[in-house]
Amino acid sequence: MDVEITLRVDGRDHRLTVDTRTTLLDALRERLGNTSPKKGCDHGQCGACTILLDGRRALACLALAVAHQGAGIVTAAGLMNGGDGERGESGDGLHPLQRSFIAHDAFQCGYCTPGQICSAVGMLREAAAGWPSAVAKDVNAADVVLDDEEIAERMSGNLCRCAAYANIVPAIADVAHRDEGARR
Ligand code: FES
Ligand code: FES
């Protein structure tokens, strides 16, 4: 069955007709031409399709487009120029995590990178809100200290088949530690 829906993607409304079974990932990529979220496994296993849904990281391959009318959908492309609504930057317009991935050479083929960056944005928000992880030393601690072990655990849903983890973790740590410093 086809239905007409409106999706708000990277700050812009898009009206489109979709089959009710269409995933958000297919709606973004195939219908709206937004190829920033990547299709890896299409089964919630790799994280390549990670986007932000109302500020939280989510897997677009496991979400139905019809269920997210009215939601704020942000892709890695939309993070530029403050597209996530919080991190407006002057100059090159890049989100701090995008800039840090470049500075740390945190990718090889780049296929996983948009998902890694959206996931990292969501992960930093979760940590700032005090969400514990499986490796948290103290699950009741108000302040999460994002050491490399914490970052690796919290980013474990995002796979990199080029195995660029040795640079991905420092790229995220750089931004995380700047955020922690700003909160103190
Ligand atoms: S494509 Fe969505 S998790 Fe792999
Ligand atoms: S950089 Fe190639 S999959 Fe991560």
Side-chain angles (χ1 to χ4, degrees):
M1 183 175 91
D2 286 352
V3 290
E4 200 177 349
I5 61 172
T6 302
L7 294 178
R8 185 158 188 78
V9 182
D10 297 338
R12 284 187 50 207
D13 286 337
H14 300 269
R15 194 104 189 119
L16 65 163
T17 303
V18 292
D19 185 289
T20 50
R21 296 164 295 183
T22 306
T23 65
L24 199 44
L25 180 60
D26 284 341
L28 289 167
R29 289 181 59 86
E30 310 298 333
R31 303 299 309 283
L32 301 182
N34 185 333
T35 55
S36 180
K38 303 294 186 239
K39 184 178 282 192
C41 63
D42 211 18
H43 283 89
Q45 300 291 311
C46 72
C49 65
T50 307
I51 56 168
L52 293 161
L53 260 181
D54 287 332
R56 285 194 186 177
R57 52 182 171 170
L59 299 173
C61 71
L62 295 185
L64 290 175
V66 290
H68 295 288
Q69 287 203 76
I73 300 165
V74 174
T75 70
L79 288 173
M80 288 188 68
N81 299 309
D84 63 345
E86 287 184 16
R87 303 291 294 270
E89 288 271 315
S90 57
D92 59 14
L94 292 175
H95 187 282
L97 277 160
Q98 292 172 325
R99 197 175 300 115
S100 192
F101 267 62
I102 294 169
H104 286 271
D105 198 18
F107 42 80
Q108 288 182 40
C109 76
Y111 198 79
C112 71
T113 310
Q116 299 275 3
I117 290 176
C118 283
S119 187
V121 170
M123 183 276 283
L124 292 179
R125 288 177 184 159
E126 291 162 13
W131 292 18
S133 77
V135 297
K137 278 92 187 161
D138 177 1
V139 293
N140 296 314
D143 285 330
V144 174
V145 177
L146 285 173
D147 58 20
D148 287 359
E149 187 185 12
E150 278 280 358
I151 292 172
E153 167 61 25
R154 288 168 185 267
M155 292 296 296
S156 59
N158 290 79
L159 305 182
C160 174
R161 64 186 170 183
C162 299
Y165 303 110
N167 292 4
I168 291 171
V169 171
I172 297 171
D174 220 8
V175 176
H177 298 156
R178 261 183 275 155
D179 286 355
E180 284 167 0
R183 284 201 301 276
R184 284 192 192 109

